Amino acid sequence: MAHLTTQNVKIVGVSACVPKTIEENIELPLYEDKEEARKIIESTGIKRHRIVEKGTTASDLSVKAAEKMVADLGWDMQSVDLLLYSCTTRDYIQPMTSPIIQDKLGMRQDSFVMDLPLGCAGWVYGMSVATALMNSGTLKRGLLIAAETNTQSHNLNDRKSRPLFGDAATVTALEFDADYPHPMNFVFGVDGSGAKAIMAEYGGFRNPVTPESLVEHEIEPGVFRKGTDIVLNGMDVFSFAIRRPPKSLKELIELFHIQLEDIDYLFLHQANKYIDDRIRKSIKFPEEKTPYCMDDFGNVSGASIPLTMVTRAAGQLSQKENHCLACGFGVGLSWASMEFWTNHLRISELVEY
């Protein structure tokens, strides 16, 4: 089991930016029969999601969220030493998007910036990388951006995926503190044999874009896809999601001797309500301490855990110390769980762009 403990780094704030445009699943033109739409909403727990306007990228949302976070903390942007960008819907294949964000934010040219295209487990993995880089104290302040514009990578004519996914960007602000008493603990896992469960077949260098890969085909009634669209094998993903994440959380709890009665919040990747309920019940954790935001925002991949913190737990996170667990899981197939503490976080008001 791969695991990690990092010290001397604390979360000081979380912000989020979502598009202004809201799509109500009950109103989607893909469903002539509203009863079918109602069944999807009931089975997934997703009522609506946000969708970017044409020409807007995940980095555009990220810049807005980062500017809000830094302003609310009263930081000088020049004091930020580290920027990690966890996102698969990057602006370009090359260069990385993090240098573009660094320039737009006006960060120093001698700062540490890097892309982490990790998908659904990206926030937890990103937290491990950011805190590991910062815990020596040479990097004092950092921003972890977890963002995704899923509506640009999934076919909007696919009645199976369109109701599920939304767009968002989040920023988690981190600060070195040699006297901070709480560590962050992590466990990780990956099963590359399941990589095809969530995949866009064309668009990389294994299968470059061809004219045929850009042609939309009707796979089955109401399901249209191009070779460059991300496709989920529903049964494979479901089987993975109800097995691996619960096991990961149990490993974390056992390895680091965590008492569940001491935990204030369990933050799960917002896959769908049924899957997340299965995970929560598997570790016998109370529903009232497991917030969800998928009903209003859908599955926003790696941004889902911090977006839940901003939109569903801001009051308690900003007012007191909290002992939390988190679990991210998905594309790869990868998963990661973590234990962390927060103390009077600065939670920014949700930005719409």
Side-chain angles (χ1 to χ4, degrees):
M1 178 201 321
H3 59 89
L4 177 71
T5 295
T6 60
Q7 307 272 3
N8 306 326
V9 182
K10 61 185 179 182
I11 304 172
V12 293
V14 187
S15 67
C17 177
V18 296
K20 293 180 180 179
T21 302
I22 301 173
E23 279 196 342
E24 297 284 348
N25 282 344
I26 195 68
E27 301 296 335
L28 286 178
L30 300 175
Y31 306 107
E32 296 179 4
D33 182 359
K34 297 299 182 187
E35 184 59 29
E36 183 181 0
R38 290 188 187 95
K39 288 180 179 178
I40 291 172
I41 293 169
E42 182 179 350
S43 64
T44 63
I46 300 171
K47 299 176 182 178
R48 60 190 64 87
H49 51 268
R50 303 296 182 106
I51 181 170
V52 291
E53 299 292 337
K54 187 176 181 180
T56 299
T57 68
S59 73
D60 296 324
L61 302 180
S62 300
V63 167
K64 296 296 182 182
E67 289 174 339
K68 177 66 173 171
M69 183 80 274
V70 169
D72 285 352
L73 288 170
W75 286 3
D76 184 334
M77 195 67 78
Q78 291 285 302
S79 72
V80 178
D81 304 300
L82 170 76
L83 171 67
L84 299 184
Y85 185 58
S86 177
C87 182
T88 64
T89 48
R90 298 181 292 176
D91 286 13
Y92 308 99
I93 293 177
Q94 292 189 48
M96 297 188 300
T97 306
S98 51
I100 296 170
I101 296 174
Q102 171 266 333
D103 178 60
K104 288 183 177 180
L105 291 177
M107 289 174 57
R108 304 191 319 271
Q109 291 186 356
D110 64 353
S111 55
F112 184 108
V113 302
M114 183 169 65
D115 281 22
L116 300 169
L118 290 162
C120 304
W123 186 77
V124 180
Y125 271 91
M127 286 291 290
S128 73
V129 174
T131 57
L133 287 166
M134 293 178 65
N135 72 184
S136 70
T138 56
L139 304 173
K140 303 292 187 183
R141 288 177 171 172
L143 300 177
L144 168 62
I145 299 176
E148 212 69 68
T149 44
N150 288 304
T151 63
Q152 295 177 320
S153 58
H154 292 80
N155 197 311
L156 295 182
N157 292 318
D158 186 339
R159 63 197 290 119
K160 290 186 176 180
S161 66
R162 183 166 176 174
L164 306 181
F165 294 96
D167 303 330
T170 64
V171 175
T172 304
L174 301 163
E175 200 162 40
F176 174 80
D177 182 350
D179 297 320
Y180 190 61
H182 300 303
M184 294 188 194
N185 295 311
F186 303 86
V187 297
F188 311 94
V190 64
D191 179 9
S193 69
K196 290 186 177 180
I198 307 172
M199 176 178 280
E201 186 176 357
Y202 290 86
F205 292 99
R206 176 67 61 190
N207 295 312
V209 174
T210 64
E212 174 61 24
S213 70
L214 297 174
V215 176
E216 191 172 85
H217 298 280
E218 186 170 16
I219 308 301
E220 57 185 83
V223 178
F224 294 84
R225 293 171 183 161
K226 304 186 297 294
T228 53
D229 293 326
I230 292 180
V231 177
L232 283 74
N233 184 317
M235 291 306 299
D236 287 350
V237 173
F238 176 79
S239 176
F240 155 75
I242 63 173
R243 288 185 302 107
R244 290 297 192 179
K247 183 178 179 182
S248 174
L249 281 166
K250 291 173 183 176
E251 289 172 344
L252 180 80
I253 291 164
E254 180 178 349
L255 182 63
F256 295 105
H257 310 290
I258 298 167
Q259 301 300 315
L260 282 181
E261 59 267 25
D262 296 335
I263 300 298
D264 296 292
Y265 281 120
L266 169 63
F267 293 106
L268 296 172
H269 165 54
Q270 304 290 284
N272 74 47
K273 186 66 161 55
Y274 181 77
I275 287 174
D276 282 13
D277 277 345
R278 287 281 296 263
I279 296 170
R280 174 185 61 80
K281 290 176 181 177
S282 74
I283 64 168
K284 298 179 173 59
F285 195 76
E287 184 175 12
E288 64 270 19
K289 292 184 177 182
T290 312
Y292 298 112
C293 74
M294 68 186 76
D295 53 338
D296 284 333
F297 300 100
N299 181 339
V300 293
S301 296
S304 64
I305 290 173
L307 182 61
T308 303
M309 296 169 73
V310 170
T311 61
R312 296 295 187 266
Q316 184 167 321
L317 290 175
S318 63
Q319 293 169 11
K320 61 183 287 288
E321 183 176 82
N322 292 273
H323 187 186
C324 306
L325 302 180
C327 182
F329 53 92
V331 63
L333 294 165
S334 61
W335 58 92
S337 296
M338 68 178 291
E339 176 191 24
F340 65 103
W341 282 258
T342 67
N343 193 0
H344 294 83
L345 289 188
R346 176 60 172 170
I347 304 291
S348 297
E349 183 178 353
L350 184 68
V351 178
E352 294 186 318
Y353 176 68

